[in-house]
Amino acid sequence: MTNSLGDAALPLPPPVRSSLDLIGRTPIVELTTFDTGPCRLFVKLESQNPGGSIKDRIALSMIAAAERDGRLQPGGTIVEATAGNTGLGLAQVGLPKGYHLILVVPDKMSREKVQHLRAIGAEVRTTRSDIGKGHPDYYQDMAERIAVETGGFFVNQFGNPANPLAHETTTGPEILEQLAGDVDAVVVGVGSGGTLTGLGRFFRRASPKTKMVLADPKGSVLAPLIETGQMIEAGSWAVEGIGEDFVPPNADLSLVSRAFTITDRESIAAARALLAKEGLLAGSSSGTLLAAALRYCREQTEPKNVVTFVCDSGNKYLSKVFNDVWVAEQGLAQRLQHGNLRDLVARFHAEGGTVTVSPADTLSTAYGRMRGADVSQLPVIEEGRLVGILDESDVLAGLGRLRNGEAGKFSAVVADSMVTHLHTVPSTASVDALLPIFERNEVAIVMDDDEFVGLITRVDLINHLRLSP
């Protein structure tokens, strides 16, 4: 049998009886479009697990261990603190078995993860991400408290020995088999520490030459601790799922031979480059791993086989990592600074970034575009020129002017509801020019003479102030 390119095709696996049978045995791809120095760089596609991440492995292992020793009884409740993916793995494994699942997630988690968790049937409780261990609202402390209150099984991936065991017995052996026993380095991140410790233990025994390399987001305490021996005060970072403000019990840092601190900007750029260059849609933590792996490879002076991971799929981060507006709002985009209001425009009209309507569009069309783009106002463009602005209050007022019960309310046209008396501001103006506009409860309409540049909202100003030095 051959594939569509005429090459010999690998045999297809037989059918399985459960999605749990699809956990593990994930493929490895060599990256050939990046500058990897003298090395060959491979990524193991953990995004191919049925729950979409590497955490399926530990979920299966930790639930099985709890069932064996009686901590988890039929119909019981599973409670865990998670950045999202462990929760998805626990749901993937536990819900079909009849367990109730309560997950505590920090509020910086992507909406796709939270929506996925709720759709699969988990109870999701969101807590603050700007606090550290010991605070009552810290996600791990909250989960442990909920487990006590409900009599549930607190999974505690950060200290559960079945977590690293999953990687020691499955992930590590798979990598060694797939690279025919020749693995020089494995680049990992630390969230709970299970991947580092499990792989480190396996390779120390099965392939002593294999080095463990840590990729750590800037703001995390782990890489500085390894490199300097000093525990720094934790900062903040946008990457999800890796980096910590403490050393998890499951993280054996003595296994690490080299550590790299990776900024959010590097991580996001690497994840986006992985999609653009290799067609691999990966999440933010995978970008951190890739950036560190590329640095490690380029430092080498002789050929080596280096492996890292696509930890989860980028489809969980479409509203963040792959959203140009979000990236700009977080200050993670390389943008030319002008020192005026152009620096605050999140969506430039000339670049196709603004969502617009025409005067002839219906209120139904306008409302659909507002909801689809998650915006509250739309520029009204006719023949390339700005002729009005329409916001939610204008739509509501337009509907209210029609008689109650009249059919086709939403078929009324934008021209009948839009505001045409526009207060604009030149792009060369300073930030101070925004305050009077916002005091009038208006959005700032930025112009270059007769050319519409874009809109600035209160949120855009807040983001600008937050990111200003």
Side-chain angles (χ1 to χ4, degrees), residues 27-283:
I28 281 183
V29 176
E30 182 175 2
L31 303 184
T32 59
T33 62
F34 288 90
D35 173 12
T36 58
C39 301
R40 298 178 70 189
L41 177 58
F42 303 85
V43 290
K44 189 163 172 63
L45 302 184
E46 291 299 296
S47 54
Q48 298 300 302
N49 283 302
S53 86
I54 194 170
K55 298 296 188 177
D56 283 13
R57 295 178 185 265
I58 68 170
L60 184 63
S61 177
M62 293 186 298
I63 287 178
E67 290 172 332
R68 286 194 300 270
D69 62 23
R71 288 175 295 162
L72 189 55
Q73 298 292 328
T77 296
I78 299 171
V79 184
E80 181 59 332
T82 172
N85 282 326
T86 298
L88 287 167
L90 291 170
Q92 191 80 27
V93 177
L95 292 177
K97 290 173 173 281
Y99 300 120
H100 179 59
L101 186 60
I102 302 175
L103 301 172
V104 181
V105 303
D107 57 16
K108 75 173 185 177
M109 296 305 103
S110 69
R111 69 175 67 175
E112 289 89 348
K113 284 184 184 177
V114 174
Q115 289 168 341
H116 189 166
L117 287 169
R118 287 181 171 143
I120 203 172
E123 180 181 341
V124 181
R125 303 189 186 180
T126 303
T127 190
R128 294 166 59 184
S129 59
D130 61 342
I131 50 177
K133 194 168 179 61
H135 191 286
D137 290 334
Y138 186 62
Y139 74 133
Q140 294 172 42
D141 296 333
M142 182 181 288
E144 188 170 8
R145 186 170 66 250
I146 291 171
V148 172
E149 294 169 353
T150 61
F153 162 54
F154 178 44
V155 177
N156 186 21
Q157 61 177 308
F158 297 88
N160 192 321
N163 174 351
L165 183 65
H167 297 295
E168 185 175 0
T169 57
T170 69
T171 319
E174 288 175 27
I175 292 172
L176 198 62
E177 176 186 339
Q178 287 169 301
L179 267 70
D182 187 10
V183 182
D184 294 292
V186 181
V187 181
V188 300
V190 165
S192 64
T195 308
L196 164 66
T197 301
L199 292 179
R201 288 173 180 170
F202 170 77
F203 283 109
R204 184 171 57 188
R205 179 180 69 252
S207 176
K209 76 167 185 174
T210 304
K211 297 184 182 302
M212 299 303 299
V213 178
L214 175 65
D216 203 37
K218 186 177 181 180
S220 170
V221 303
L222 303 176
L225 180 60
I226 291 169
E227 293 292 288
T228 69
Q230 302 295 315
M231 176 66 79
I232 66 167
E233 183 177 348
S236 62
W237 56 96
V239 171
E240 298 180 28
I242 60 173
E244 283 297 348
D245 52 8
F246 73 109
V247 180
N250 266 337
D252 184 354
L253 299 184
S254 69
L255 295 166
V256 178
S257 63
R258 183 79 167 86
F260 293 90
T261 294
I262 305 297
T263 66
D264 283 332
R265 180 172 288 186
E266 291 177 278
S267 298
I268 301 303
R272 292 169 72 116
L274 186 61
L275 177 59
K277 292 186 173 186
E278 298 279 354
L280 297 175
L281 183 60

Side-chain angles (χ1 to χ4, degrees), residues 331-372:
L332 301 176
Q334 294 283 0
R335 292 182 62 174
L336 178 66
Q337 296 297 298
H338 300 84
N340 55 37
L341 291 186
R342 292 186 71 92
D343 298 338
L344 281 73
V345 176
R347 298 173 171 90
F348 285 96
H349 182 63
E351 297 174 0
T354 55
V355 180
T356 67
V357 286
S358 77
D361 283 325
T362 65
L363 293 183
S364 176
T365 296
Y367 178 75
R369 290 181 186 174
M370 286 179 181
R371 297 283 63 78

